[in-house]
Amino acid sequence: MTQKLNILLLLALAFQAKRVCGENAAVPNDGSSGKDSPASALVSDEPKHGVSLPAFAPFSVPNAAFWEQFAGGLEPHWKGSQASKDGEEEARYSGEWAVEEATELVGITGDNMLVVKSEARHHAISAPLDKPFDPAPHGLVFQYEVKLQNNLNCGGAYAKLLTAPLSGEFSDATPYTLMFGPDKCGDSKVHLIYRHKNPVTGEYTQHHLKQPPTPPADRLTHLYTLVVHTNNTISVSIDGSERRAGSLLEDFEPPVNPPKEIDDPNDKKPSDWEDEEKIPDPDAEKPSDWDEDAPLMVTDEDAVMPKGWLENEPLMVEDPEAEKPSDWDDDEDGDWAAPMVPNPRCAEADGCGPWKRPLKRNPDYKGKWTPPLIDNPRYKGEWAPRRIANPEYFEDLEPYKLAKIGGIGFELWTMQSGISFNNIYLGDSIKDAAQIAKNVWEPKHDAEIAVRDALNPKPPKVEKSKTSELLELLKIRLADIALSIGSFYDALQRDGVAVALREERSGAIASAMAASGLCWLVWNLLAFVRLLRGSAVPAQAPSRASTAKDASSNSNSDAAAEAATTSARPDGGSGGAAVKRKTAKSDKS
């Protein structure tokens, strides 16, 4: 018996170990014991999504002012900054950069990217153009890829087109011509800012795109495209789809061109200027019967204590079900007392304890007296400073002629690592940007979607029929009606019919009454139909008797008549004999 129990115990332990460990506890098939084998030899970390990925192939853009695929790494073209943010010695650009392949939702093999490697750091890196790019002749097209491998809770992924000529180490103080790209820290938006030089003062002003589009926040590679046309219009696209169009002259804040006139900063409102349209009547006097000290609320002397009020019942009583704990020591813990609970008698009564008359609004209350308002005889209207010509006014109708660009940089603060940039294009060809999107970005993006769907397959969608949906809604409604009727019944017993009807808001009572009325109507209709059928049956019997012609029908008719005669006799005794005599007579004939 003991041996059988031991065998059963060993089997149970083995079954439990298999459930806990599963396939991960499989013994290596290379003949080793597995003790010194790495974890990757037991469980593979590589997702087996089964998607065939395209391989990286260099793409040429001969006429680009700048084209970067990071096939040659960082050095010597890209240089990380070791400077500090302007005016912040502690905020040094200490974030690390690397050129490497993607690690999340890989859509292409052998494809290097510029990757942010540090969290909660300031990052800055830049690369110069071979020669300055001038947007004036043909406009500007700027496009690049962004992949948020670790998502983005707070940080930037925007690029800066640096103003030529470049000087000093790259930082936030480096002048830029245009800033473009996604950003998320609080609000999520695609930045578009351009700097414009005031020809009068020589100062630069930042102009921000109003109502910028919202960027996607997944881990796929997304393509951001900016086009600045020579007619001052702009276009912002994400993944080849235009998300915002506008004008450099009309859709940026502040506007490029300042107003012709401004308020005179030296103009001050005169001391005797009256801009109050109404003033208190100086001749008004408070009425002699006006009592400012009268209280807002007074005791209602007409109130009567409800009949169900229990004046001698306390609101709280000792819990009758409470028991003194067995370990309670009166010497150490003091005298034990049961905890207090609400008085159950008060729940059924109109109230408990000493009754006080309620308060009501004081009919004599008037509050603080103030004189009435009258028209101000010295009113001159709302004062505004006089308008003067703007000394800094200018009119630039060609803001698309941006300052020349000498380099591209990423100057970011981010709480997440893994922000990746790739396939950076700067030029003036919309056609080249479209070819890059079609031949470089699109195959990668499609493969990433396939990998994502393979790793996270969507469950099949089960469509409910309309009948099941109606039945479900009916079931929910009936449950609501039942609950409301129960609440109505409790309120009816507790507060009376008036309060119960006033508190009933769900329509349950009306629904129940409508259902009852419908049932009553159907029942009466059925009863009326039965009445009509019953009155029609005697009228059909003579017709059947008069149309019977064969012998069988005559016999049946005679038998029916004889039965009717028998039933009409008080004793009913000779009915059977009469039938027998008639039957015998028929047999003889």
Side-chain angles (χ1 to χ4, degrees):
M1 183 67 178
T2 305
Q3 184 177 5
K4 291 182 179 181
L5 289 175
N6 290 335
I7 292 174
L8 290 175
L9 180 60
L10 289 174
L11 290 174
L13 290 173
F15 178 73
Q16 184 68 16
K18 183 177 180 181
R19 288 183 57 191
V20 173
C21 299
E23 296 181 359
N24 295 345
V27 179
N29 58 7
D30 57 357
S32 63
S33 63
K35 294 181 180 180
D36 300 327
S37 301
S40 59
L42 298 178
V43 183
S44 175
D45 293 332
E46 188 70 19
K48 299 183 181 300
H49 47 66
V51 178
S52 179
L53 301 179
F56 170 78
F59 189 79
S60 177
V61 189
N63 298 322
F66 186 89
W67 171 238
E68 180 62 85
Q69 289 191 292
F70 297 100
L74 283 178
E75 300 294 342
H77 199 52
W78 289 87
K79 182 181 178 181
S81 175
Q82 297 298 318
S84 299
K85 288 179 69 69
D86 187 25
E88 302 179 43
E89 291 297 331
E90 299 83 6
R92 181 172 295 277
Y93 294 105
S94 57
E96 297 180 359
W97 298 86
V99 170
E100 60 188 22
E101 295 186 41
T103 58
E104 299 291 335
L105 284 181
V106 180
I108 186 171
T109 61
D111 186 27
N112 285 334
M113 307 179 297
L114 176 65
V115 183
V116 172
K117 298 297 293 182
S118 308
E119 298 179 352
R121 299 278 186 89
H122 294 279
H123 298 72
I125 194 169
S126 61
L129 273 62
D130 294 336
K131 62 179 182 179
F133 173 73
D134 187 3
H138 307 292
L140 176 147
V141 179
F142 179 54
Q143 178 175 278
Y144 70 107
E145 295 175 0
V146 177
K147 183 179 178 68
L148 307 176
Q149 299 191 76
N150 298 327
N151 289 329
L152 187 62
N153 295 326
C154 183
Y158 43 81
K160 289 183 176 180
L161 304 185
L162 308 179
T163 304
L166 302 180
S167 63
E169 195 164 12
F170 177 48
S171 71
D172 63 326
T174 302
Y176 66 90
T177 298
L178 186 146
M179 189 175 88
F180 172 68
D183 184 28
K184 179 183 180 183
C185 216
D187 293 337
S188 183
K189 59 186 174 181
V190 177
H191 277 299
L192 176 52
I193 307 171
Y194 74 92
R195 295 173 74 245
H196 183 270
K197 184 178 181 180
N198 187 319
V200 177
T201 65
E203 297 180 353
Y204 279 88
T205 305
Q206 295 181 359
H207 303 274
H208 297 249
L209 176 65
K210 295 184 290 186
Q211 300 177 354
T214 302
D218 53 39
R219 300 186 182 187
L220 300 173
T221 299
H222 294 284
L223 189 69
Y224 293 85
T225 308
L226 168 66
V227 180
V228 179
H229 298 280
T230 55
N231 62 354
N232 294 316
T233 61
I234 59 100
S235 172
V236 175
S237 300
I238 302 177
D239 297 345
S241 175
E242 185 177 73
R243 300 286 296 277
R244 181 74 164 91
S247 168
L248 294 174
L249 293 169
E250 300 173 359
D251 296 299
F252 285 78
E253 186 66 34
V256 176
N257 296 310
K260 290 183 178 182
E261 293 184 343
I262 60 172
D263 292 339
D264 185 357
N266 299 318
D267 190 16
K268 306 297 182 183
K269 184 172 72 170
S271 59
D272 60 346
W273 187 278
E274 293 280 352
D275 54 7
E276 294 183 356
E277 188 175 359
K278 298 284 186 179
I279 60 172
D281 186 358
D283 299 328
E285 295 181 358
K286 183 175 69 173
S288 58
D289 61 343
W290 191 286
D291 185 4
E292 291 184 343
D293 298 327
L296 175 63
M297 303 296 291
V298 294
T299 303
D300 186 2
E301 299 296 338
D302 297 331
V304 179
M305 183 178 69
K307 294 182 179 179
W309 192 281
L310 306 178
E311 285 190 285
N312 298 325
E313 286 289 339
L315 293 175
M316 303 293 291
V317 296
E318 293 184 354
D319 187 358
E321 298 180 358
E323 296 181 357
K324 181 179 178 181
S326 59
D327 58 348
W328 187 276
D329 190 338
D330 291 338
D331 295 334
E332 295 183 2
D333 302 327
D335 294 336
W336 180 83
M340 304 298 287
V341 295
N343 190 342
R345 296 193 61 187
C346 295
E348 302 175 356
D350 293 331
C352 287
W355 179 80
K356 294 182 179 179
R357 286 186 172 85
L359 298 178
K360 68 176 182 177
R361 187 176 179 87
N362 185 2
D364 298 327
Y365 173 77
K366 295 182 178 181
K368 187 72 176 178
W369 181 84
T370 56
L373 297 178
I374 61 172
D375 293 335
N376 185 356
R378 295 184 297 274
Y379 175 68
K380 296 183 179 181
E382 293 291 334
W383 182 86
R386 64 175 175 267
R387 303 285 288 178
I388 62 173
N390 186 357
E392 299 180 359
Y393 172 74
F394 66 88
E395 186 177 43
D396 184 359
L397 300 180
E398 296 177 325
Y400 75 91
K401 294 181 178 180
L402 301 168
K404 292 183 180 180
I405 299 166
I408 295 177
F410 296 96
E411 187 263 320
L412 312 169
W413 159 262
T414 177
M415 294 297 295
Q416 281 76 42
S417 62
I419 303 174
S420 308
F421 308 97
N422 204 357
N423 297 314
I424 305 171
Y425 168 79
L426 174 63
D428 55 21
S429 175
I430 298 176
K431 181 179 179 181
D432 286 349
Q435 287 296 322
I436 295 170
K438 180 179 180 182
N439 298 329
V440 180
W441 169 79
E442 191 172 318
K444 179 196 305 184
H445 185 70
D446 292 344
E448 288 176 346
I449 293 176
V451 171
R452 181 194 63 185
D453 294 344
L455 294 175
N456 302 287
K458 295 181 180 180
K461 187 177 180 181
V462 179
E463 295 184 358
K464 292 185 178 180
S465 64
K466 293 184 178 180
T467 304
S468 61
E469 291 180 357
L470 290 175
L471 291 176
E472 190 70 20
L473 291 175
L474 180 60
K475 182 179 178 181
I476 295 174
R477 182 56 182 159
L478 290 176
D480 291 341
I481 291 175
L483 182 62
S484 298
I485 291 176
S487 301
F488 175 81
Y489 181 73
D490 293 340
L492 181 64
Q493 286 187 320
R494 183 179 65 253
D495 303 320
V497 65
V499 175
L501 287 174
R502 186 167 61 251
E503 293 181 353
E504 210 289 308
R505 295 286 188 270
S506 66
I509 302 303
S511 300
M513 293 178 65
S516 301
L518 182 62
C519 292
W520 179 84
L521 181 62
V522 171
W523 183 85
N524 281 277
L525 183 61
L526 292 176
F528 183 69
V529 170
R530 287 196 299 268
L531 181 63
L532 289 178
R533 289 182 177 178
S535 61
V537 169
Q540 294 175 356
S543 175
R544 293 195 191 100
S546 61
T547 56
K549 297 181 180 180
D550 53 62
S552 172
S553 298
N554 291 333
S555 300
N556 292 336
S557 299
D558 294 340
E562 195 68 33
T565 304
T566 305
S567 61
R569 297 179 56 182
D571 55 355
S574 61
V579 172
K580 290 179 181 179
R581 286 195 300 268
K582 189 170 183 67
T583 303
K585 184 177 180 181
S586 299
D587 292 338
K588 290 180 180 181
S589 62

